[in-house]
Amino acid sequence: MAAPLPGPLAHLAPLLGHYGYWAVGAVVLVEDFGVPAPGETILVAAGVYAGAGRLNIVAVAAVAFGAAVLGDNIGYLVGHSGGRAFVHRWGRYVLLTPERFQAAEDFFGRHGGKIVTVARFIEGLRQANGIVAGTTGMPWRRFLAFNALGAALWVGLWASLAYLVGSHVTTVYDDVTRYQLYALVAAGVLLAALVVRHLVRRRREHRPDSPLPRP
């Protein structure tokens, strides 16, 4: 039986055909702790397979969700155990001083939940999400909660769309990712504004009072 995958997804047919759910879990897992891998693509392809009756959509969603959460937590462990020492040793060579790292850590502590949830939908951030959270010292339970929320929304979106629209998924995917780019630009501008505001506020809080002018 021919694989029911449209052109851009066809290269994943042998992998899914031979390994099924194992392929979905493995690829999503390794992508989520920083290894370049087509995690989102294989999730979409598995959803199309499920829509054609080749896989079970509930099993696809469960496997992808578990792999996504586990992968990000491996990344968190990597960042938590080695990231801070690495930054303090080598960060100054890229102008990331301990003071600037502290400011970033404080910012992530305030807004980290939103970042962790939204990063799941953004290529690049999805792979570095856990490592950044671990490096900046985000509490693990807080990270786990928002990471699970982001994973559930991400899996729910792509698995459902692929299951429902089948071979037309690539058109839908292109449309969603095109608008996602605009959302990413807007989010980047907002994030930059928040960072600048946070740094300005910290500078004002730590600036000594100006001496009074002499009469």
Side-chain angles (χ1 to χ4, degrees), residues 15-16 18-29 42 55 63 67:
L15 188 63
L16 281 172
H18 282 91
Y19 300 104
Y21 305 112
W22 288 102
V24 177
V27 176
V28 172
L29 175 71
I42 201 167
L55 294 172
V63 168

Side-chain angles (χ1 to χ4, degrees), residues 152-167:
L153 294 173
W154 178 71
V155 170
L157 171 66
W158 291 119
S160 299
L161 276 177
Y163 179 77
L164 293 172
V165 304
S167 61

Side-chain angles (χ1 to χ4, degrees), residues 50-72:
R54 301 282 300 274
L55 294 172
N56 181 283
I57 188 59
V58 175
V60 167
V63 168
F65 173 79
V69 173
L70 179 59
D72 271 343

